[in-house]
Amino acid sequence: MTFPNNMNGTANIKGLILCGGYSTRMQEDKSMIAYHGVPQWKYLAEVLQQLVPEVYLSCREDQLPGFESYDRFIVDSVPAKGPSAGLLSAHQKEPGTAWLVVACDLPLLSAESLHYLLQHRNPAKAATTFVSPVNHLAEPLITIWEPAALNALKRNVENGMNCPRKTLLNIDIELLNNPRAEEQFNANTPEDRDTALKSGR
């Protein structure tokens, strides 16, 4: 399964897996949980590599030894909190790139959902994202962030608004219903982890 990286001169897309959180509620590094027989970061990298030509892990510097078998990283390097640090560090590195962003706490996510997102990308909008089945708002961490959206996030963070979802709610985005909405399940606690492991997916 492949998707062209450039459409009509729009920004090239690269993949970004957000692994830099502290996983406080999970009590273990969420990127290292083996839902599919390998650490979750590796599973997601293999999924994204089917769809975009370059896939980066977004992480803190102290996490690097745990990813020694990988070679593409963007280390948090901007004064932002949570996912915004990873998003803006990627934007700082490559300000003209669109990023297909996924969080490492999505154990059920498949290539099919991401392929659907890519197929329905609207580069005339600031971002293309899914509706969250939980709160029916934009799902910021399964999103194609165009450079315009990341510029908006940067301005918001500089003004004290650190939340990626709030940025998406205040810009022009393409909002999609995912036919596989169950794949947007977030595993943030040991109970969530066990639920995902029992799902058999």
Side-chain angles (χ1 to χ4, degrees), residues 179-190:
R180 297 168 176 263
E182 70 279 1
E183 294 187 3
Q184 293 171 228
F185 173 74
N186 290 93
N188 291 309
T189 66

Side-chain angles (χ1 to χ4, degrees), residues 88 91-92 149-159 167:
L88 293 181
H91 186 50
Q92 179 176 268
L150 291 164
N151 285 333
L153 178 63
K154 182 174 184 290
R155 290 192 298 270
N156 286 340
V157 168
E158 289 171 349
N159 290 320
T167 292

Side-chain angles (χ1 to χ4, degrees), residues 94-146:
E94 297 191 22
T97 294
W99 294 93
L100 172 54
V101 174
V102 297
C104 69
D105 59 1
L106 299 162
L108 308 184
L109 191 64
S110 72
E112 286 75 19
S113 280
L114 295 177
H115 187 249
Y116 185 89
L117 188 68
L118 285 162
Q119 279 185 311
H120 293 84
R121 176 194 181 192
N122 184 349
K125 304 279 190 174
T128 301
T129 187
F130 287 133
V131 176
S132 167
V134 176
N135 56 27
H136 309 294
L137 301 175
E139 188 77 79
L141 305 185
I142 315 175
T143 294
I144 299 170
W145 286 79
E146 304 287 348

Side-chain angles (χ1 to χ4, degrees), residues 22-199:
Y22 286 92
S23 305
T24 304
R25 286 180 289 167
M26 184 63 79
Q27 302 169 32
E28 62 177 310
D29 190 334
K30 290 185 285 189
S31 71
M32 296 295 175
I33 300 173
Y35 295 105
H36 304 273
V38 295
Q40 179 67 358
W41 70 263
K42 187 172 184 179
Y43 166 76
L44 289 173
E46 290 170 352
V47 167
L48 283 167
Q49 285 163 357
Q50 301 175 50
L51 303 167
V52 294
E54 294 181 32
V55 178
Y56 289 82
L57 301 184
S58 166
C59 64
R60 308 184 312 274
E61 188 168 4
D62 63 285
Q63 292 177 291
L64 287 172
F67 304 124
E68 60 185 16
S69 62
Y70 204 69
D71 61 359
R72 286 196 174 112
F73 302 97
I74 298 177
V75 176
D76 290 350
S77 59
V78 298
K81 298 177 182 178
S84 292
L87 290 166
L88 293 181
S89 296
H91 186 50
Q92 179 176 268
K93 175 180 171 65
E94 297 191 22
T97 294
W99 294 93
L100 172 54
V101 174
V102 297
C104 69
D105 59 1
L106 299 162
L108 308 184
L109 191 64
S110 72
E112 286 75 19
S113 280
L114 295 177
H115 187 249
Y116 185 89
L117 188 68
L118 285 162
Q119 279 185 311
H120 293 84
R121 176 194 181 192
N122 184 349
K125 304 279 190 174
T128 301
T129 187
F130 287 133
V131 176
S132 167
V134 176
N135 56 27
H136 309 294
L137 301 175
E139 188 77 79
L141 305 185
I142 315 175
T143 294
I144 299 170
W145 286 79
E146 304 287 348
L150 291 164
N151 285 333
L153 178 63
K154 182 174 184 290
R155 290 192 298 270
N156 286 340
V157 168
E158 289 171 349
N159 290 320
M161 190 176 81
N162 199 76
C163 177
R165 175 174 278 124
K166 288 182 180 177
T167 292
L168 293 181
L169 292 175
N170 288 283
I171 57 177
D172 189 20
I173 64 173
E174 186 75 19
L175 196 55
L176 307 172
N177 287 301
N178 184 0
R180 297 168 176 263
E182 70 279 1
E183 294 187 3
Q184 293 171 228
F185 173 74
N186 290 93
N188 291 309
T189 66
E191 292 76 20
D192 293 340
R193 175 200 60 209
D194 294 345
T195 297
L197 289 168
K198 290 173 184 175
S199 73

